[in-house]
Amino acid sequence: LERLTPPSRLFGANGLRTGPDGRIYVAQVSGSQISAIDVDTGVIETISPKGGAIVAPDDLVFDPQGNLYVTEITEGRVSVRAPNGDTRVLCGDMPCANPITFYQGRLFAGECRPGGRIMELDLSGGAPRVLLDNVPMPNAMEVGPDGMLYFPVMGTNEIWRVGLDGGAPETVARDLGVPDAVKFDAQGYIVSTQVASGQVLRIDPRSGARTVLATIAPGLDNLTFVGDRLFVSSISGQINEI
């Protein structure tokens, strides 16, 4: 047996988020670990180690104060890690907690399961508010330039959006490659990974028109921008710059 490529230095690669220090923070479900990658040097630092307070992190987001909010999919909860490393559970009743995003002082998270809920979480630990329920497997989401929350719906192979105070959802794009993450580029276009087709798509949120930025392999999970540079994660632990 001849090894042609080295093993990944990550325990898989799921949620990605660019931190305030410009590094990419990588949630790793299977390794119960969060790492930070310097995209210029390739140096990887363990931020939350296996065996630490955060278990099976799937997605993550920072607030302006540097607090790191993390969904823990196997534990059904959301935790917050302060800049000094102190960690506490913010919400403990979110089965299949997965997507999470922060916008203008508000924290939104969802459940990647059939009949999943999308909720606004109370930053003080109070009861969450349900924006939308009975969503067929929502995943990594972000607020768009129009102030609406955009998210992939894996169970219908579509991208939806909803107002931040709830209401009826709208379909933005359909018949994709099973989208599992939605982010926005600097021009206001959706960029979305497709877990089944392995494509990275750029989608006009107004018309639904799409462009294939790259075709990598099935198993894509999430994406993040570092300036104008685009990085994409794969469940296997691979990270590609597009």
Side-chain angles (χ1 to χ4, degrees):
L1 178 66
E2 179 185 1
R3 181 178 292 280
L4 299 180
T5 60
S8 175
R9 292 181 290 158
L10 304 168
F11 294 98
N14 305 103
L16 292 182
R17 191 72 64 166
T18 303
D21 55 6
R23 294 187 295 174
I24 292 177
Y25 286 70
V26 188
Q28 300 149 68
V29 173
S30 60
S32 280
Q33 180 168 287
I34 297 172
S35 302
I37 303 175
D38 185 314
V39 297
D40 294 318
T41 65
V43 171
I44 300 177
E45 179 187 354
T46 300
I47 303 299
S48 177
K50 184 176 183 178
I54 294 173
V55 178
D58 203 321
D59 205 357
L60 64 179
V61 70
F62 286 91
D63 69 11
Q65 289 72 45
N67 297 300
L68 181 60
Y69 298 88
V70 183
T71 51
E72 299 168 272
I73 190 166
T74 63
E75 308 303 294
R77 70 189 186 195
V78 176
S79 290
V80 55
R81 182 183 186 274
N84 65 3
D86 291 343
T87 302
R88 62 184 173 89
V89 175
L90 185 68
C91 178
D93 182 23
M94 285 193 67
C96 294
N98 186 338
I100 192 165
T101 195
F102 196 92
Y103 179 74
Q104 294 186 352
R106 302 170 70 178
L107 180 66
F108 301 91
E111 302 166 336
C112 189
R113 62 181 178 91
R117 299 174 295 174
I118 293 177
M119 299 186 284
E120 180 175 2
L121 304 186
D122 186 333
L123 298 179
S124 301
R129 180 178 64 88
V130 178
L131 268 70
L132 199 61
D133 59 9
N134 294 316
V135 183
M137 299 186 68
N139 212 327
M141 57 195 183
E142 189 160 75
V143 176
D146 57 1
M148 297 187 75
L149 182 64
Y150 287 72
F151 51 95
V153 183
M154 298 175 66
T156 63
N157 195 22
E158 296 172 335
I159 293 173
W160 294 3
R161 66 185 172 201
V162 69
L164 298 187
D165 294 318
E170 304 172 11
T171 301
V172 178
R174 51 172 50 94
D175 299 324
L176 304 171
V178 187
D180 55 352
V182 165
K183 301 284 175 68
F184 283 85
D185 66 16
Q187 289 73 44
Y189 286 84
I190 295 167
V191 181
S192 176
T193 49
Q194 312 298 302
V195 66
S197 69
Q199 292 181 326
V200 183
L201 299 180
R202 188 175 193 247
I203 301 170
D204 187 332
R206 295 162 291 274
S207 67
R210 69 199 68 168
T211 302
V212 178
L213 297 181
T215 301
I216 301 173
L220 300 187
D221 197 304
N222 213 313
L223 66 144
T224 193
F225 289 91
V226 180
D228 290 329
R229 300 171 68 183
L230 171 59
F231 297 85
V232 174
S233 65
S234 297
I235 295 168
S236 64
Q238 179 174 315
I239 293 179
N240 287 283
E241 182 174 2
I242 308 302

